[in-house]
Every structure is written in structure tokens, then in C-alpha cells.
Amino acid sequence: MRRRRPWKIAVPHILIAFLLCFFISIMGMGSRTATATFAQTEPETAVNAPSASASASKMSSIANKTVADAIKPPASKAIAKDSVKKSTPTDANPLENNLVPFPSNVALPMRVGVALFVNSINKINEATNTFESQFDIRYVWNDPRLAFDTGEMGTNRLEFGQEAAVAKLATIWNPQIKITNIIEKDAQISPGLFIHYDGKVELIQRVKATFESKLNLDAFPFDNQSLLVAMLSSKYNSNQIALSQDQDDLNASGLNPELKVNGWNPQGITFKTSQLRAWNGAFLRQIEARVGMKRIPNAILGSIFTPFLLTLIVPTIFTFFANVDLAPRLVAWSGSILALVALTFTFSVRYPWLGSNSLVSQIFTAGHAYQMLSVILSITLLNPDVAKRMDRFIVAELVSYLRWLVPVGFLGVLVTKSLLTAFDW
């Protein structure tokens, strides 16, 4: 019986098998890619389908429209609705880009009443000169073209809110008033509109945003701040509209009775009208609302005066009230000088917005001057080696006065300066 030779795997066989596997895998990947591409492009076709069917439905009958709606897949309707919703700017200012002409047969300048009611103030940032607030602002004007018959309408006032207000504002004239110091990046504006039977229009906007307002911190921590909200009509000059307030506007303005701001006491709201000169020489009307805020200084005073006085009390006792030699006095003042320098640096880091004219900077400067004067007295009149070369009676008399005059006088300067700043005398 003939024995069968064992089959040997040669290198060409291996290469042929590898190439076959490679081509099979490529073909499989190509088919899966084509399937995936088809699966991705199919929903886009479904999204575009409603627009074509919608245009066709306008020209077709009600029956055809019903059939077309029945044929459409429900998923495409949801996707189309989402796409329309995303393309609609929800936070757009409804007062901008209005092309409705100015009202005729009205007395010029047309009065536009302004009222502002502050609901909340969340944060006052001294470092960036900004504050975060939410308030309701109301504009009132008269447009005879919008008057209507109460009998036909069944009401004496038409109301529009949110999206309906934005749509209605696009069809009527409005004064196009802007808040000039608002930071529009994160601003949220929700409008509400009332149209009365006699043509009176009330536009109410709930604004939540961050506002720029220059803060004066020279009196810190006894400072009073005036938070600004500036409103300007940049399209119509002072001969066309007049921003003003009557008693009704003043009654609608104010602060929320429950308004609380951490570290501050609200003081009220005031208004001021002014004119700005535009680039073309025309004058524009502007009205400024300012919310008064008074800082509560209790916690800040403790963090300022307690470490400040502690850096001075020990060397003061060594110098004026203890019978010690010159060396311990100078050592005590050296430590006091270093401690006050460190305290000054700490406050400059913690409150970088404080200038050289601020009360805190003046107090630290006075402290350095007191240290220098005390060191000079320690090495002159209070130094036994120097005093014995002078008339001992004169030195004793001067020391008895300076022992109380210097520290008490320095403390009096601090208290007087603080009181003058606190009460704005």
C-alpha cells in the first residue's frame, strides 16, 4: 500500500490566503460604509421633506394636505419642529430693527414714559465695576393708529406675552430704546405688550443681565455706590421723542421691599434725564436710573483695624510706657514694620481695585509714618545716651508730653479720618 505524502504549506499558499482574506474584508467594509452612509443621509431627506410638502400643501386642496400629513413620518415632524425652534432667536431684543414708520398726527416730541422696578441684585463686583440684576422696565407711548373699538374687540386692552409680544412688536412702531451699559453676552429679555383701546401702548421687559457701572471706592469700606442703568433712544432724536416720567411712571418705579444684597443696604432709586450729541450733530435723549447702595462696613472694619492696631501696640508700649533699652525697642519696631508691610501687601492682593486715594491706603500710609516717627524718637529723645547730653529737665518734660501726644494723636487722626469718610463730611 502506497503511503500518502504529508501536505506541506508553502509560502505562496500563505500569500494567496492572506490576499483573499484582505479583499473579502475590504468588500465587507465597503458594504457597511454604504449602509451607514445611507442610514445617515436618510434622516436629512426626511427633515427637508416637510418644507417641500408644506409649500405643496399651500397650493393643494384640504384633502391633499390631509393625505400628505398622513404620509409624513412622525419623526420628521418632530425634527422639523426642533430645527425651526433652534433657528428662532429667543433672546433677541424686540426693540431693534423695526421698520414701521413714525406715527403721524402726534405732537412732537412724542412723550415716552419710562419706569423701572428692581426685583433683585445678585452681586456687585468691585474688581470689574459690574453688577448683576433683574428688573422690570416699562415704556409707555401713544400711537393713534392702534386705537380700536371696544365693542368689536370685546375688551379695552389687548395683551401679548413672550413670543406673541415679539411678533406683535415687529408690526407696530416702537421707540427702539436700548440699555447702553448692559453686557449682552448673557442677557435675558422677556417682553410683554399691552395695547389699549385709545392707542396707548405699554411695553414691559423683564431684564436679567450684568451691567457695567463705574464704582467710586475712595471711601471704602464706608462707601455709597450708585448702580447705573442707562436707557437711550439711538434712532430718534430729541425733536422726535422725549424720555420722561410723570407721576404714574414714578409710582411704578422703585425697589422690591424684600430686596437684599449681601454686605449692602439698598437706599432707593433716582432718575436723571440728559442729552447726548450723536455723530451727525443731533441730540439724543437719555434717561439714567441709579440704584443707591450703602455698604455695611462692620465685618470689613474688623479685618482692617484689628491686625493694623496689633502690629503697632507692642512696640508702642515698649517705646513710650516701658523702661527698656534701645535695642529691644528697635527690634520691636523692626518686627512691626515687616508686619505692616505684609498686611499692606495682603490687602493689595485681596482688594486690588483700591487706589491710593482710598481710606484703607491712607490708614496704612499713616501707620508707616507713625512707625518712622516712633523709631526717630527712640534713637533721639528716648535714647539714654543722647538724652544725657542734653538738659535732663527739658528732656523729661518733652518725654512726658510725647509719651501721650504721639500715640493718642495718631489714634485721633485715624478715628477722625474714618468718621469724616463715613459721614461724608
Side-chain angles (χ1 to χ4, degrees):
M1 184 177 180
R2 186 178 177 181
R3 297 181 61 184
R4 183 180 296 178
R5 293 181 59 185
W7 185 67
K8 296 182 179 180
I9 301 176
V11 174
H13 298 161
I14 297 176
L15 291 177
I16 292 173
F18 176 76
L19 290 177
L20 288 175
C21 293
F22 179 72
F23 284 117
I24 291 173
S25 62
I26 290 179
M27 293 297 292
M29 290 177 60
S31 61
R32 287 194 299 268
T33 305
T35 305
T37 305
F38 177 76
Q40 292 177 358
T41 55
E42 188 175 4
E44 294 182 359
T45 306
V47 171
N48 295 330
S51 60
S53 63
S55 60
S57 63
K58 293 180 181 179
M59 297 180 292
S60 63
S61 62
I62 299 177
N64 291 337
K65 181 178 179 181
T66 306
V67 173
D69 290 337
I71 295 175
K72 293 178 186 176
S76 63
K77 288 185 177 181
I79 297 173
K81 184 181 292 184
D82 291 340
S83 64
V84 172
K85 188 178 295 184
K86 291 179 181 179
S87 63
T88 304
T90 56
D91 294 333
N93 191 344
L95 292 184
E96 296 180 3
N97 303 323
N98 187 278
L99 302 178
V100 180
F102 194 87
S104 58
N105 299 327
V106 295
L108 296 179
M110 175 191 287
R111 179 188 174 277
V112 178
V114 179
L116 186 81
F117 187 85
V118 179
N119 298 312
S120 65
I121 298 177
N122 300 326
K123 182 180 180 182
I124 300 176
N125 193 332
E126 296 91 344
T128 58
N129 284 306
T130 60
F131 68 96
E132 299 175 6
S133 178
Q134 184 197 75
F135 56 80
D136 295 331
I137 186 169
R138 187 188 73 171
Y139 304 112
V140 179
W141 68 91
N142 282 280
D143 190 346
R145 297 173 297 185
L146 300 178
F148 58 87
D149 187 358
T150 58
E152 294 181 358
M153 301 299 295
T155 182
N156 61 354
R157 186 179 73 172
L158 303 178
E159 299 181 4
F160 306 88
Q162 301 293 330
E163 291 82 2
V166 175
K168 186 63 178 178
L169 282 169
T171 64
I172 66 174
W173 179 88
N174 66 72
Q176 301 194 35
I177 300 174
K178 295 182 179 180
I179 302 175
T180 57
N181 65 321
I182 192 173
I183 299 177
E184 298 183 354
K185 180 181 179 181
D186 299 322
Q188 300 178 12
I189 302 177
S190 302
L193 183 66
F194 300 98
I195 300 178
H196 296 260
Y197 71 98
D198 57 353
K200 177 183 176 182
V201 182
E202 291 184 70
L203 173 61
I204 300 176
Q205 291 181 312
R206 173 153 293 182
V207 182
K208 182 180 180 181
T210 302
F211 304 87
E212 297 177 343
S213 183
K214 181 64 177 177
L215 305 179
N216 185 359
L217 300 166
D218 290 346
F220 176 86
F222 301 104
D223 53 323
N224 297 323
Q225 299 300 335
S226 181
L227 306 181
L228 172 66
V229 179
M231 292 152 283
L232 172 71
S233 177
S234 58
K235 183 175 181 179
Y236 301 102
N237 58 44
S238 58
N239 294 325
Q240 295 173 301
I241 67 171
L243 303 181
S244 62
Q245 291 183 308
D246 58 14
Q247 191 59 45
D248 184 55
D249 297 322
L250 294 176
N251 293 338
S253 302
L255 305 180
N256 185 354
E258 299 180 356
L259 177 63
K260 294 181 180 180
V261 185
N262 187 25
W264 298 85
N265 280 328
Q267 300 296 300
I269 186 171
T270 58
F271 295 87
K272 177 184 177 182
T273 57
S274 60
Q275 291 190 138
L276 296 179
R277 188 180 180 87
W279 63 272
N280 58 357
F283 288 94
L284 306 176
R285 292 294 183 99
Q286 176 178 258
I287 187 167
E288 297 179 351
R290 292 188 175 272
V291 181
M293 304 293 292
K294 183 177 180 62
R295 192 189 299 271
I296 302 175
N298 300 341
I300 300 176
L301 283 176
S303 64
I304 294 175
F305 283 101
T306 300
F308 175 75
L309 294 177
L310 288 177
T311 60
L312 302 176
I313 189 170
V314 173
T316 298
I317 294 175
F318 271 32
T319 301
F320 297 103
F321 304 103
N323 188 15
V324 296
D325 294 333
L326 177 62
R329 294 176 182 174
L330 295 181
V331 171
W333 282 115
S334 299
S336 175
I337 292 172
L338 293 176
L340 188 55
V341 169
L343 183 63
T344 304
F345 176 77
T346 300
F347 269 85
S348 65
V349 172
R350 184 177 180 181
Y351 305 105
W353 28 263
L354 289 179
S356 59
N357 294 328
S358 65
L359 175 63
V360 176
S361 299
Q362 294 178 11
I363 288 176
F364 287 156
T365 301
H368 288 296
Y370 174 75
Q371 289 174 333
M372 182 178 296
L373 177 61
S374 299
V375 170
I376 293 174
L377 290 177
S378 297
I379 62 179
T380 55
L381 292 178
L382 301 178
N383 185 0
D385 295 336
V386 176
K388 67 182 180 181
R389 300 177 185 178
M390 303 172 62
D391 191 312
R392 60 188 181 91
F393 297 103
I394 297 177
V395 172
E397 191 72 16
L398 288 174
V399 169
S400 63
Y401 280 106
L402 293 175
R403 178 173 295 169
W404 295 100
L405 178 63
V406 174
V408 174
F410 172 69
L411 187 61
V413 169
L414 295 182
V415 173
T416 303
K417 181 63 178 176
S418 300
L419 291 176
L420 291 176
T421 304
F423 294 99
D424 197 19
W425 289 342

